[in-house]
Amino acid sequence: MVRLSGRSGARSAGRPSGPRTRRAPDRVVVVPERGEPRDPGQRKGPLAWLRSAVGGRSVAGQVFLLQVVIVLLLVVAAVVALVLQVRHDSTQEARNRSVAVAEAFANAPGTREALDGPDPTAVLQPRAEAAREATGVDFIVVMNTDGIRYTHPKPDRIGKHFVGNLEPALEGRVVTEQITGTIGPLVQAVVPIEDPDGKVVGLVSAGITTATVGGTADRQLPLVLIAAAVALALSTGGTALVSKRLMRQTHGLGPDEMTRMYEHHDAVLHAVREGVIIVGDEGRMLLANDEAHRLLDLPEDAEGHRVLDLGLAADTAELLDSGRMATDEVHLVKDRLLAVNQRPTHLRGKPSGSVATLRDSTELRALSGRAEEARERLNMLYDAGVGIGTSLDVTRTAEELAELAVPRFADYATVDLFDAVLGGGQPEAATRLRRTALSGIRKDAPLYPVGEQIRFVDSSPQGRALGDGQAVIEPQLQEAPDWRAQDLERTAQVVEFGIHSLVAVPLRAGSLVLGVVSFWRSKKAEPFDADEVALAEELVARAAVSIDNARRYTREHSMAVTLQRSLLPRSLPEQNALDIAYRYLPAQAGVGGDWFDVLPLSGARVALVVGDVVGHGLHAAATMGRLRTAVHNFSALDLPPDELLALLDELVARIDQDEAQEGDGAAVTGATCLYAVYDPVSRVCTIARAGHPPPALVRPDGTVEFPDVPAGPPLGLGGLPFETAELELAQDSRLVLYTDGLVEDRGRDIDEGLELLRDALAGADRTPEETCQAVLEARLPARPSDDIALIVARTRALGADLVAEWDVPSDPAAVARVRSAVTRTLESWGLEELTFTTELILSELVTNAIRYGGDPIRVRMLRDRSLICEVFDSSSTSPHLRYATMTDEGGRGLFLVAQLAERWGTRYLPAGKVIWSEQPLP
């Protein structure tokens, strides 16, 4: 027999006759005597356990009987419901089948025609019986509108009146019903037979007897009963297993015995040295042991009251009332530091309260505070490693240092750098410092503002830090005369403001001192200590590396930008063909190889060039300068755009080959270029491009289009020819050339960028300068990752009154007529002073064309910024300037032209060549 010990768990003197009990903080374990089974449910085998369970003495037995009864009732109810459902479904199936068969027979071909025949029964009876056997119904009856049968499974019923309700069918509706007919109880459907006019001419009925319907349900009933029996057996077995396990867990205890056991647990609960609190729904305290009463100083009647009404500390009451999960959460309750652990309890998936334990950890308070402070310092150093130096900007890096230190380390932080550092140069100790960054908990601190130049006296903490290269601490500023000597008025304001302690740390990067960082304290009463000075030095040391990197980058970036600017055109040349405005913006990340140029050509023409060398840095800028110089030289040959790009392509390929052989150069492959030549006389623009984005054309009415200019390969690839496109531009059209940095970046492709550029360019009556400004305002990203070059050129036309042209026959006598025409033209232009030199120049050029050239020969004069004379002939022979000796009879013609003209040259055309000269206007 098992007996539980008393509340204290002590045993009576002498040898015990019953089992011993061991007391634990959360449970009581009953230890059986030697030779006694440990599991009461296993004392007498399975039959004994079953008798114990059926007897209902233990909790497990009562649960077993209750569950068996419930399962039995559920199984019986399920069987009855299933049988009724099967019968209902069978009857419904019978109705549906009857209606379907009747409608099919009524609408079958020949049914309505047979009713009009002399003997409907002879025709319809065989069909009805065949359909009945095929569909499984018990009868198919065809009748007239009076209900007289034409067909029936039993022939003796033919000719007799049909049993059932026919009125709805005579009205054209389908009717189903359960009746007792001539063949017994049945389910039947009556369907009308209608002629084409919708008139009911007969009826068809199909039905199934109740015996047939019930047979289906009866055949399913054994299966249902077998399934119910199996379910009952499985449920009973499962209930038995659960009850057996419950009996094993409760050791066969009855309700009274379990009550005594819980009383024992209650005694243990109040004996432990850890507070236990159980809070139920609506934040009401259900249980608090003695230790919880002591730690929280709870009233005697705390159970049953809301936690918020017990006068606890706000944070502790909020935690207990919320029921949220907490692990070793520290709360200060009066003079105790309590570690609280709380877990919510759940009942059927719904929150029903929480259980909290409280442990007095007052002795760990000081140690915990020091650990928290150390952890905060480590976090600050980690944040400094990832948060300072996010950009290669000296000023922004200094600001990040000041922002990180406030308020986590100091109330105010200032960063002062030498001016040379801000520009990327080497710091000089004799120069002033500039306040670069200032951060504080308030904006009205009387410290030097950002941007002000400061010269610290040698006795000040900052001066000593800069001189010695070591951190300097001033624990009490109001008692520091060396610091007050810096600026008596301002230092007095600082002390009056409440700032009382200072740490000055030099910004050192190797042997260089870049500046000084000052940390100020006002809110916290204690001054900076030695540990905090060490933290400040570590923080500044990490920031100094980032500031020095930004300084070096600033220096290199400035050098690259300077080189790039020196290679780009300083100003645009003077010419009358185009009104030009441009913008050039280097990338934020580093200079690139974008470039542009405007080149005056012979015959008042102007060439526009835009190019891009892929990449950034000094190499890209230097390569851009080489390509720009090459274009200058090639343009002097007056080559068409496609031929000029072909020469430039060969040049880039040679540069790549030479640098590849040296082994220390970077390839130029990836350079692009667009070359356009505009002629103001014909208003034709000839364009060719090598891998460059197409130009944009803004018509005088403001419409924008991207002309179809054939896209050649990028420069340096070779193997493919370049093609040109000729555009006839109306006067005041705007030709827009640009690099890909304006229309393409990582966030969008070039097609989207071109559409956005089209929107920015749209609009009439804009000057080139206004167009450039509008495009950059609409399209310029905040921090461009690539260089941007933009040229807007508005076209002008050279009027017909400023152009004179004559055809010259291949006859030396025609030279005199040309001189006369030139004289008249110059008089009409008011250029009589140029008559002699112009006649001499044209006489020599026309004479050479007649003597050495071929027909046709044409002469053209243009009045632009200079007087331009051109002689065209069909020969491709190039004239050469010679210096004739004293005995030579000829060879002085081109020498005279070169002496009289400011510039002269040869321009080759597909059909010949043009010899031209320019004279300055008086």
Side-chain angles (χ1 to χ4, degrees), residues 239-253:
T239 302
L241 292 177
V242 172
S243 299
K244 184 176 181 180
R245 183 171 183 178
L246 180 61
M247 179 172 289
R248 184 168 59 251
Q249 292 177 344
T250 60
H251 300 281
L253 299 178

